[in-house]
Amino acid sequence: MMLKIAGLMLLVLAALAVFGRVRLGLPGARKPRSLAAARKCRSCGRPAIGKGPCGCGAPEA
């Protein structure tokens, strides 16, 4: 019984992996943004996370 469950789990994981590759390969698919393309703080240059002020004390990112 455990072998059946493990085999089924492997099949589901393989199907998810194939679906993920197909989805990223489509022409209109959004690619994940890199850290270099993220918004940065004007004062210290760190990536801005969220909409609040930066941790360095600058008023806005």
Side-chain angles (χ1 to χ4, degrees), residues 8-45:
L8 183 62
M9 185 183 76
L10 287 175
L11 284 174
V12 169
L13 286 175
L16 286 173
V18 169
F19 177 72
R21 283 193 181 266
V22 168
R23 201 181 110 217
L24 285 178
L26 295 176
R30 289 179 42 172
K31 303 286 184 204
R33 288 178 39 171
S34 68
L35 191 58
R39 258 183 343 120
K40 298 202 184 310
C41 175
R42 290 186 200 137
S43 122
C44 67

